[in-house]
Amino acid sequence: MFLVGSFLKEGIEELKKEQIKLAPRIIIKDEFYETNVIGGVDQAFFDNKIISAAVVCDRKRMEIREREYVIVEAQLEYVPGLLCFREGPAIIEVFKILKTKPDVLLVEGHGIAHMRKFGLASYVGLMLNQPTIGVAKNLLEGRTIDNAIYINEEKRGYELKTRKGAKAIYISPGYRVSLKSSLGIVKSCFREHRLPEPLYLAHRYANKIKRTM
DNA sequence: GCGACAG
DNA sequence: ATCTTGTCGC
């Protein structure tokens, strides 16, 4: 995947086709054993590099069990709808070095609340065969009715108002997690921040690493 | 054609 | 996402 300059435009069409081809493989059912260990991944950037940080917590107390990070070269610029191809590879690498694999992984970005049902969380889950949930800070596609996200008359996720005064966040299943469980699991991970704790911690960790560079 | 557009 | 100080508020 080396998409730059004149190759970008045609490359984009190929990547969209790839998403349409892989989307049918996304499983939206509860297929995980427990929810005792929850992970979160987030990225920070500098030059053309991506820092992907992962934090694994126990769900009861949200205490850190392990945290790791990797730095990889970005192979694609940010294109709305194709975020999985830009940040996905980095997330896959950091997940691989985790010694404590989480029961469910929270990913910053959407899962199936995506125009082609193939957001970052779904891509990462499929490639790693790992239950994932997408948690985004903004809506990408569709509309919200009664705290639910709809795309083409189909429910794809939820809008969640965390703290009063703070903007809502958007939850959607990524892979091997049902619509209902995606919301329940995320809700059980909040402490005193707008984002669920594993993601809040991963975000802080990624930026901490960035500061040392 | 115009506007929207995860991070 | 990133460039960036102080500032309002819990």
Side-chain angles (χ1 to χ4, degrees), chain A residues 141-166:
Chain A
E141 181 79 359
R143 55 179 179 158
T144 171
I145 303 175
D146 286 333
N147 304 316
I149 302 170
Y150 288 90
I151 296 179
N152 303 329
E153 316 293 285
E154 186 179 7
K155 187 187 285 187
R156 300 284 188 86
Y158 303 92
E159 174 180 53
L160 181 61
K161 299 163 293 299
T162 303
R163 300 171 61 74
K164 51 183 180 183

Side-chain angles (χ1 to χ4, degrees), chain A residues 34 53 58-59 68 73 80 94 113 116 133 136 171 187 194:
Chain A
E34 299 289 347
D58 68 279
R59 195 170 58 78
E68 306 288 351
E73 191 79 16
V94 77
R116 288 175 292 278
I133 297 173
I171 319 296
K187 276 186 172 177
R194 179 165 82 113

Side-chain angles (χ1 to χ4, degrees), chain A residues 14-213:
Chain A
E14 288 306 307
L15 293 176
K16 287 181 179 175
K17 289 178 185 173
E18 183 72 0
Q19 292 183 317
I20 293 171
K21 184 176 122 187
L22 295 173
R25 294 171 55 182
I26 298 303
I27 297 169
I28 303 303
K29 296 190 306 181
D30 287 329
E31 293 188 353
F32 46 81
Y33 301 106
E34 299 289 347
T35 55
N36 298 323
V37 185
I38 307 296
V41 285
D42 186 42
Q43 288 65 243
F45 306 79
F46 71 97
D47 293 335
N48 192 43
K49 295 171 175 36
I50 301 176
I51 299 172
S52 185
V55 175
V56 179
C57 307
D58 68 279
R59 195 170 58 78
K60 284 289 184 182
R61 298 181 155 290
M62 278 301 132
E63 289 173 343
I64 299 177
R65 284 202 186 178
E66 182 185 354
R67 63 176 194 177
E68 306 288 351
Y69 76 88
V70 297
I71 297 178
V72 304
E73 191 79 16
Q75 303 288 29
L76 175 68
E77 65 179 47
Y78 168 67
V79 180
L82 298 181
L83 184 65
C84 66
F85 298 115
R86 173 173 167 79
E87 304 189 5
I91 295 175
I92 288 170
E93 288 309 305
V94 77
F95 185 88
K96 283 180 180 173
I97 65 175
L98 283 176
K99 290 174 284 297
T100 306
K101 303 299 188 190
D103 294 316
V104 176
L105 179 69
L106 306 185
V107 179
E108 272 228 27
H110 292 290
I112 60 170
H114 180 279
M115 49 283 265
R116 288 175 292 278
K117 247 179 182 178
F118 206 70
L120 178 61
S122 296
Y123 172 85
V124 170
L126 178 63
M127 299 314 253
L128 296 169
N129 187 26
Q130 159 72 36
T132 60
I133 297 173
V135 179
K137 299 188 290 297
N138 289 291
L139 200 56
L140 169 66
E141 181 79 359
R143 55 179 179 158
T144 171
I145 303 175
D146 286 333
N147 304 316
I149 302 170
Y150 288 90
I151 296 179
N152 303 329
E153 316 293 285
E154 186 179 7
K155 187 187 285 187
R156 300 284 188 86
Y158 303 92
E159 174 180 53
L160 181 61
K161 299 163 293 299
T162 303
R163 300 171 61 74
K164 51 183 180 183
K167 200 157 76 85
I169 60 175
Y170 302 87
I171 319 296
S172 65
Y175 189 66
R176 290 193 192 281
V177 176
S178 70
L179 212 45
K180 184 171 181 288
S181 295
S182 67
L183 181 62
I185 292 171
V186 170
K187 276 186 172 177
S188 73
C189 294
F190 286 103
R191 283 300 174 272
E192 64 264 45
H193 306 287
R194 179 165 82 113
L195 291 175
E197 203 64 5
L199 285 181
Y200 169 77
L201 294 171
H203 188 269
R204 273 179 67 259
Y205 188 40
N207 282 306
K208 177 181 180 180
I209 297 304
K210 179 179 178 178
R211 273 185 259 117
T212 70
M213 320 233 36

